[in-house]
Amino acid sequence: MPTEQLATSHFALETVDVPEVADGEVLCRVLWMSIDAAQRAWLQAATYRSAVKVGDTMPGFALAQVVESRCAEFAAGDIVSGDLLWQDYVVAKPQDLTRIVPKRPLSNYLSALGITGLTAYFGLLDIGEAKPGETVVVSGAAGATGSLVGQIAKMRGCRVVGICSSPEKQEWLTSELGFDAAVSHRDDSFRNALREACPDGVDVYFDNVGGTTLDTVLGSMAYRGRVVCCGVVSQYDTTNPVRGARGVPGVLIVKSITMRGFLVMSDFADRYAEGLAALEGWLDDGSLKVREDILEGLETAPEGLIGVLNGTNIGKRMIHVADPS
Ligand SMILES: NC(=O)c1ccc[n+]([C@@H]2O[C@H](COP(=O)([O-])OP(=O)(O)OC[C@H]3O[C@@H](n4cnc5c(N)ncnc54)[C@H](OP(=O)(O)O)[C@@H]3O)[C@@H](O)[C@H]2O)c1
């Protein structure tokens, strides 16, 4: 198990027989694999799922095509999504799969029309309660979730400031996606740049990264601001994530700030249809732009995940494994 930063040497690629499918199961050909920063956290310890152990095949969200079905719910040829494995062929149970009838490029069902889009939509609007005229700050702003959060906030009539790590990302956010400003968490002037970009303070902070970025933004919150705790990327790639909240209550009390976590798969599963309808409508009318950062081939998954942890991705990182037949 990795003790510090994840490396490709922590992974092994093995060739094995295609798994046997039993009654009540389906055999799926994996087409697209989602690369999620949280996969590194799954190697640390049990989270919202049990920990991945040495020797396990890496789990991950994926799109697949049913190649053999021994259940009534699915037929060969169906396109499905589910929590599968970093494998070409995976046996799954029907209750763990969702049928997709694609109306847009299949990859969109891992990005804007997948967990990523739903996380941005419900996190910003339900947990953050972003309102017109408010200032919204989002970290990981040029990443999968953050780039959608910022655009939805603009549609909501908010002033939007993105936090990312490079001039290229800053330029993309402001020129292409319409963010009002973008600042780099790697610049020495980060704290001041954020203050200048948010002269009235931060009403909603959509936090994808935690760590020192969260500390910095907390210092710029407005009265009755809301912090949306979506993820903690800065603390995933280590066996010693920083713990402790001793100084936080004081900051929250002074400005009546609310800090609230959420897990989209548990908290909003019953409202996915609502979120997907909105997201699909915005994609169709062009008001939401989706950027997909695609690597080719199952064997690129380890470097894909390591890259996300280091910010090499722009938009939603995913792996193209195969095309549907
Ligand atoms: N709550 C939920 O239900 C839910 C669901 C899905 C995902 N998530 C969470 O959402 C977050 C974003 O996920 P994503 O898939 O959209 O990833 P992503 O934003 O596409 O990629 C992660 C980004 O984090 C940034 N980053 C990495 N290390 C950092 C550090 N030390 N300090 C600051 N930024 C750092 C990098 O961008 P820059 O360094 O360039 O900014 C990188 O591009 C993750 O925390 C994930 O766990 C939560």
Side-chain angles (χ1 to χ4, degrees):
M1 200 51 71
T3 49
E4 274 307 323
Q5 282 197 300
L6 193 64
T8 50
S9 56
H10 293 120
F11 295 88
L13 181 64
E14 291 178 3
T15 303
V16 297
D17 291 338
V18 172
E20 298 276 331
V21 54
D23 282 344
E25 295 177 335
V26 293
L27 178 65
C28 298
R29 172 72 163 116
V30 172
L31 306 175
W32 291 90
M33 301 193 316
S34 175
I35 296 294
D36 293 286
Q39 285 170 303
R40 174 64 179 92
W42 304 346
L43 307 180
Q44 286 175 330
T47 50
Y48 51 90
R49 60 184 298 151
S50 49
V52 179
K53 299 193 187 63
V54 173
D56 286 353
T57 304
M58 191 70 191
F61 203 75
L63 304 176
Q65 184 169 36
V66 174
V67 290
E68 184 184 349
S69 175
R70 295 185 65 179
C71 71
E73 293 88 340
F74 293 99
D78 285 351
I79 303 291
V80 294
S81 66
D83 190 3
L84 300 175
L85 295 167
W86 283 9
Q87 238 168 236
D88 288 304
Y89 291 89
V90 181
V91 167
K93 300 212 179 310
Q95 62 267 28
D96 298 329
L97 299 173
T98 301
R99 181 182 282 100
I100 291 175
V101 181
K103 296 190 210 120
R104 299 188 55 85
L106 202 46
S107 55
N108 286 183
Y109 295 84
L110 278 190
S111 56
L113 299 178
I115 294 296
T116 300
L118 292 164
T119 302
Y121 178 87
F122 289 114
L124 178 72
L125 300 179
D126 274 71
I127 305 294
E129 298 178 351
K131 297 176 192 65
E134 290 191 325
T135 296
V136 172
V137 170
V138 56
S139 51
T145 310
S147 60
L148 300 177
V149 166
Q151 292 181 79
I152 298 169
K154 281 307 296 177
M155 285 188 250
R156 190 84 175 160
C158 302
R159 173 177 170 75
V160 177
V161 177
I163 300 173
C164 57
S165 64
S166 71
E168 182 195 0
K169 291 183 178 185
Q170 288 170 269
E171 172 68 18
W172 180 60
L173 294 174
T174 51
S175 301
E176 296 281 323
L177 299 191
F179 282 45
D180 296 283
V183 296
S184 172
H185 64 84
R186 289 194 181 151
D187 284 353
D188 292 340
S189 58
F190 172 44
R191 186 180 297 273
N192 286 338
L194 183 72
R195 287 218 168 116
E196 276 171 29
C198 306
D200 300 324
V202 180
D203 297 299
V204 179
Y205 173 44
F206 193 107
D207 185 20
N208 282 315
V209 304
T212 54
T213 304
L214 171 61
D215 292 343
T216 303
V217 183
L218 275 180
S220 283
M221 293 302 293
Y223 179 65
R224 291 216 170 133
R226 285 87 67 200
V227 179
V228 179
C229 298
C230 177
V232 200
V233 180
S234 72
Q235 304 302 310
Y236 294 163
D237 200 11
T238 170
T239 39
N240 296 305
V242 175
R243 307 210 180 273
R246 282 173 290 183
V248 173
V251 180
L252 305 188
I253 292 161
V254 168
K255 289 188 179 164
S256 297
I257 294 164
T258 307
M259 205 170 179
R260 191 171 159 202
F262 76 106
L263 198 56
V264 74
M265 290 179 291
S266 327
D267 298 335
F268 295 102
D270 58 341
R271 290 177 55 198
Y272 277 6
E274 169 200 330
L276 291 175
L279 291 159
E280 198 169 15
W282 291 329
L283 286 178
D284 286 346
D285 71 18
S287 45
L288 186 67
K289 292 182 185 165
V290 61
R291 180 157 168 176
E292 292 167 346
D293 185 321
I294 297 168
L295 300 184
E296 279 296 328
L298 180 67
E299 66 282 3
T300 62
E303 71 183 72
L305 176 55
I306 292 163
V308 163
L309 298 167
N310 291 293
T312 62
N313 62 307
I314 299 187
K316 172 67 187 171
R317 171 74 45 99
M318 57 178 82
I319 311 292
H320 176 231
V321 181
D323 290 320
S325 60

